[in-house]
Amino acid sequence: MRLCIIGTGYVGLVTGACFAEVGHTVVCVDADAKKVALLRNGGIPIYEPGLEEVVRRNVASGRLSFTGSTAEGVAASEVVFIAVPTPPQADGSVDMSYIEAVAREVAASLTAYRIIVDKSTVPVKTGEKVTETIKRYCPAGVDFDVVSNPEFLREGFAVDDLMKPDRIVVGVSSPRPVAAMRELYAPFDAPVIVTDTNSAELIKHAANSFLALKISYANALSVICDAAGANVQEVTRGMGLDNRIGTRFLNAGLGFGGSCFPKDLSAFIHISEQLGYDFRLLKEVQQINADQMVRFVKKIQDTLWVLKDKRIGVLGLAFKQNTDDVRTSPAIDLCQRLAKEGAHLRVSDPQAMEKAKALLPPSAAMEYVDDMDAVAEGCDALVIATEWPRFTQLDLARAKRSMRTPIIFDGRNLFDPAEMKRLGFIYKSVGR
Ligand code: UDX
């Protein structure tokens, strides 16, 4: 099929590349001329494992192309995807201006029937608004359908999540686009759930909020485990093996960050309020997440007493493993809190150092270290802030030899407490 994807951010670019990979012809549209030029020349603006090869292969085969013109993209395609940002506003609501602007642009470009699919995470009833907007701005007599088709990909695993989805959600307000949507997704081996647009939109916020809730549940348990001398990993494993619960997204730690969970939670709380429901449960999920960071910093302070002029090594800046994304990263938040107390930081990350520099400018008290095994050198403590698997391969003997005092604060529970004790570290993790 011939597809157009408007917006080449994480969701748009990965979606476009993966649709091309399964044989569709895809043109990606972006308003940023520099980005379009970069992509045309084989450059990838984000770090995402596997993406570069997929993009390169499909550009070479002619199935994937890039343009700055919405009209060109819409003219060339049967299905038009909207994958532009829906950033949060100060009050937690969602800024819908990009979606609205694209809806108007698409409307002005319509000359014949098109299916217009919303991929961005949006408040319930957005499909209705997009339909109204397109009707208002499109040429008289042109027909179209608006479909909600939320994306569930995780950064760092985006290509895999897209190629092997758990389910495909298709929200429609008429039966007409269903066959095309099924054909579009036929190459993917996943159940397709066809529902109304409002339900489809709610599925996305409901799913992300539930995953955040699972993490906050594990984090709340970690507080009890710390107090009771139990091990939260044992507790969540024992719980999670009940297949009604599941073991995933029950890792206690520094809390969740990134561009999705914090934003989607605030948005869902706001949407619920507007619909007349005070979603107190989700407010508590947010609060537990915020408390988790405060508690971890206190753990560091309780041990080191005064942070001013202490040298602290920090491993991890990205908001999670496998990404260079530092947006709403708990690791960055932690560094900022330690720096505010006057600590001197030596930081490192396998991918996120460049992006982190904008938020944590390098200085004598904020040292960026390329060699991860050298981060601990001369430090009073080492902190693990992101769950990169690479950190488990750290040269711990070297770290111990080179540290002023062998203290590790593991905010992601990567190491085994008994083993760390055996190696001679004072080791503090979360809920163990
Ligand atoms: C999330 C959803 O998983 C995805 O389906 C949706 O489309 C977008 O939002 P993403 O934000 O990329 O994806 O990352 P995810 O892997 O979900 O992790 C989010 C945050 O939760 C990270 O900060 C991570 O460190 C944290 N996390 C995750 C935990 O603290 N514990 C866990 O058990 C899992």
Side-chain angles (χ1 to χ4, degrees), residues 151-155 204 208 211 215 249-251 255-258 260-261 319-320 330 387 412:
E151 186 45 67
F152 299 97
L153 57 82
R154 290 163 303 161
E155 288 180 26
K204 177 63 191 264
N208 269 3
L211 290 168
I215 299 169
F249 281 71
L250 280 178
N251 292 324
F256 54 80
C260 291
F261 285 169
F319 83 96
K320 62 170 194 178
E387 66 272 37
R412 294 294 174 184

Side-chain angles (χ1 to χ4, degrees), residues 137-325:
Y137 289 92
C138 76
V142 175
D143 212 2
F144 66 92
D145 271 297
V146 170
V147 173
S148 164
N149 174 218
E151 186 45 67
F152 299 97
L153 57 82
R154 290 163 303 161
E155 288 180 26
F157 303 91
V159 173
D160 237 34
D161 283 351
L162 223 134
M163 297 303 284
K164 292 177 239 147
D166 288 345
R167 78 310 204 179
I168 313 280
V169 174
V170 172
V172 294
S173 53
S174 91
R176 187 170 175 188
V178 174
M181 292 304 292
R182 285 194 188 279
E183 185 187 339
L184 183 68
Y185 280 106
F188 301 89
D189 179 25
V192 176
I193 295 161
V194 177
T195 180
D196 61 281
T197 44
N198 287 340
S199 301
E201 287 161 349
L202 275 175
I203 287 170
K204 177 63 191 264
H205 274 125
N208 269 3
S209 299
F210 190 79
L211 290 168
L213 180 147
K214 274 188 99 174
I215 299 169
S216 277
Y217 191 83
N219 282 333
L221 286 177
S222 78
V223 181
I224 312 270
C225 287
D226 266 339
N231 182 329
V232 71
Q233 275 176 326
E234 298 295 310
V235 175
T236 52
R237 193 164 67 97
M239 276 170 59
L241 287 173
D242 180 332
N243 63 24
R244 291 170 302 176
I245 297 174
T247 50
R248 296 173 72 193
F249 281 71
L250 280 178
N251 292 324
L254 279 181
F256 54 80
S259 62
C260 291
F261 285 169
K263 175 188 104 162
D264 290 353
L265 266 177
S266 302
F268 202 25
I269 289 169
H270 197 267
I271 292 161
S272 306
E273 241 153 44
Q274 292 201 314
L275 294 169
Y277 180 64
D278 180 8
F279 215 143
R280 292 193 304 273
L281 177 65
L282 295 187
K283 289 180 181 167
E284 193 53 34
V285 169
Q286 284 181 320
Q287 190 58 51
I288 291 169
N289 199 52
D291 291 348
Q292 199 69 0
M293 176 61 72
V294 174
R295 207 170 271 117
F296 191 72
V297 172
K298 186 165 181 301
K299 220 174 238 181
I300 299 175
Q301 274 170 326
D302 285 350
T303 307
L304 299 184
W305 191 16
V306 172
L307 294 187
K308 191 166 182 309
D309 295 332
K310 290 274 156 62
R311 270 164 77 94
I312 301 179
V314 179
L315 283 170
L317 295 165
F319 83 96
K320 62 170 194 178
Q321 60 173 305
N322 272 351
T323 181
D324 64 350
D325 197 344

